[in-house]
Amino acid sequence: MARQNTLFKDAYNRYVAGLKPDAALPTEPEIAAELGVSRSTARAILMRLSDAGIISWNKRQKTVLRQPTEADFFPQEETNSLHDIIERSFMLRILSDEAQPGMQINELELAREIGTGTSVVREFLIRFSRFGLIEKRPNSHWILKGFTSEFALELADVREMFELHSAAQFGRMPVDHPAWTSLAAIQQEHYDLLEDFDERYRDFSQLDERFHLLIHRASKNRFIADFYDAIAIVFHYHYQWNKAFARVRNSRAIAEHLDYIEALQSRDPARIDTACRTHLASARQTLLQSIPQSAGEIGEADTSTVHG
């Protein structure tokens, strides 16, 4: 059911975004083909549009009555894929104030929270276990592990190779590619965060994740996209080990992001490369500073349990 609801809401949002006042809408089969959904889903979309007063629907005649507003769309978090929903719930757990190496993660609890089956949650966790970040324990339990400085350095090396490639690809995208609009929106979110930075500086983590994910998607490389999941986990949850100077660190990162965004918008390869390297060097430094000296031992020895 969760997968079906997600598909409907995603298709609905995509269709609503293209509606213009006074436009005549095509037939249900044509709408279904346009959106890549079933005829029943297309009909459900039309019914919702009619109920909301966005269209008039009289037998075969369907006309747009008004321009849709922001309130007519489903929230973004409700339109993501099931994988994205599981990932977000998992990230929220390991980004919580209680998250520490040794934290216990229960498959059944996570599945109930999301509203899906345990099998898909288990598949998701198994995927991350390849990187040594979590470890399987009996009775559907997993343990969040610590990692060493050597592990962090290796991960940073791979991240830099991937992102330098992705950033270069981003700068070569056509000017009408939707990613440029997304980049401009993220740029504005950085400015909005700065306006209320003292109160909202902790919100930077999620903005950082979305910014780098947008860049990585430009690579259109399946291996980079797959590995980014592990990168996002590590480069976000390590802050839970050491929150010292978070405000200063996030302020510097926002400034670097804005320079990075302007470099991407310039489409100048040399400028993009420099901005990317500068930011990733800072990320490497803060990652290493955030790891306790005995992080590896903490991850292995800590037997305390935090139920999420």
Side-chain angles (χ1 to χ4, degrees):
M1 182 62 68
R3 190 184 299 272
Q4 293 173 347
N5 285 340
T6 296
L7 184 146
F8 166 73
K9 292 176 181 179
D10 174 69
Y12 175 84
N13 277 5
R14 285 190 286 120
Y15 199 64
V16 170
L19 296 181
K20 301 296 181 185
D22 300 323
L25 301 185
T27 64
E28 290 174 31
E30 289 173 323
I31 293 174
E34 176 185 342
L35 297 174
V37 298
S38 66
R39 290 182 62 177
S40 60
T41 299
R43 185 173 184 82
I45 289 171
L46 291 171
M47 291 175 64
R48 183 178 177 89
L49 291 172
S50 178
D51 291 343
I54 299 174
I55 68 170
S56 66
W57 187 4
N58 182 16
K59 297 181 179 180
R60 294 185 178 182
Q61 292 184 335
K62 299 177 288 292
T63 306
V64 179
L65 297 176
R66 64 176 176 84
Q67 183 73 38
T69 66
E70 184 176 349
D72 293 315
F73 291 83
F74 286 107
Q76 182 179 359
E77 59 269 19
E78 295 182 18
T79 63
N80 291 323
S81 68
L82 186 58
H83 174 275
D84 289 340
I85 294 170
I86 296 172
E87 179 175 300
R88 178 179 296 106
S89 296
F90 182 61
M91 288 288 286
L92 287 175
R93 283 176 176 248
I94 66 174
L95 285 171
S96 69
D97 291 337
E98 294 81 15
Q100 294 290 337
M103 183 184 85
Q104 188 177 103
I105 302 167
N106 183 281
E107 291 176 6
L108 182 57
E109 289 179 3
L110 191 56
R112 284 175 176 170
E113 178 183 303
I114 297 166
T116 188
T118 55
S119 60
V120 291
V121 170
R122 185 178 302 118
E123 290 172 6
F124 175 85
L125 295 173
I126 289 172
R127 186 160 168 257
F128 279 109
S129 68
R130 297 176 298 160
F131 301 97
L133 302 178
I134 55 177
E135 182 178 275
K136 185 75 173 68
R137 297 292 171 87
N139 302 320
S140 301
H141 285 79
W142 296 77
I143 297 295
L144 182 66
K145 299 186 66 179
F147 56 88
T148 64
S149 297
E150 288 76 15
F151 179 93
L153 285 170
E154 291 174 14
L155 189 70
D157 286 342
V158 176
R159 181 196 190 189
E160 288 165 17
M161 286 189 294
F162 283 172
E163 184 149 342
L164 284 166
H165 171 77
S166 298
Q169 290 290 100
F170 200 108
R172 289 193 286 268
M173 288 192 302
V175 294
D176 59 347
H177 194 285
W180 293 111
T181 301
S182 299
L183 183 65
I186 286 178
Q187 182 182 39
Q188 185 58 52
E189 288 187 62
H190 280 74
Y191 289 126
D192 293 342
L193 183 57
L194 284 175
E195 289 183 0
D196 195 21
F197 188 68
D198 288 339
E199 295 296 326
R200 294 185 54 208
Y201 70 87
R202 295 178 184 85
D203 295 343
F204 173 72
S205 178
Q206 293 185 6
L207 183 58
D208 177 72
E209 179 188 3
R210 289 193 290 110
F211 171 57
H212 288 285
L213 179 59
L214 178 66
I215 294 172
H216 279 272
R217 282 175 172 163
S219 69
K220 298 188 181 301
N221 184 301
R222 72 189 71 181
F223 300 105
I224 291 178
D226 181 68
F227 192 75
Y228 181 76
D229 288 336
I231 291 174
I233 290 286
V234 173
F235 277 85
H236 287 78
Y237 94 72
H238 73 273
Y239 287 133
Q240 300 306 312
W241 291 340
N242 184 356
K243 294 187 174 67
F245 310 112
R247 186 186 182 284
V248 173
R249 181 182 62 220
N250 290 355
S251 177
R252 182 177 69 241
I254 288 177
E256 291 174 355
H257 273 197
L258 289 172
D259 288 342
Y260 195 171
I261 291 171
E262 290 180 3
L264 290 168
Q265 291 170 334
S266 76
R267 304 169 68 86
D268 181 338
R271 187 176 172 185
I272 291 172
D273 185 82
T274 298
C276 180
R277 290 181 186 276
T278 297
H279 180 56
L280 294 181
S282 293
R284 174 190 289 257
Q285 181 183 27
T286 56
L287 173 64
L288 293 174
Q289 290 173 344
S290 298
I291 300 175
Q293 291 185 355
S294 57
E297 290 75 15
I298 291 173
E300 294 292 333
D302 189 349
T303 59
S304 63
T305 300
V306 178
H307 295 281

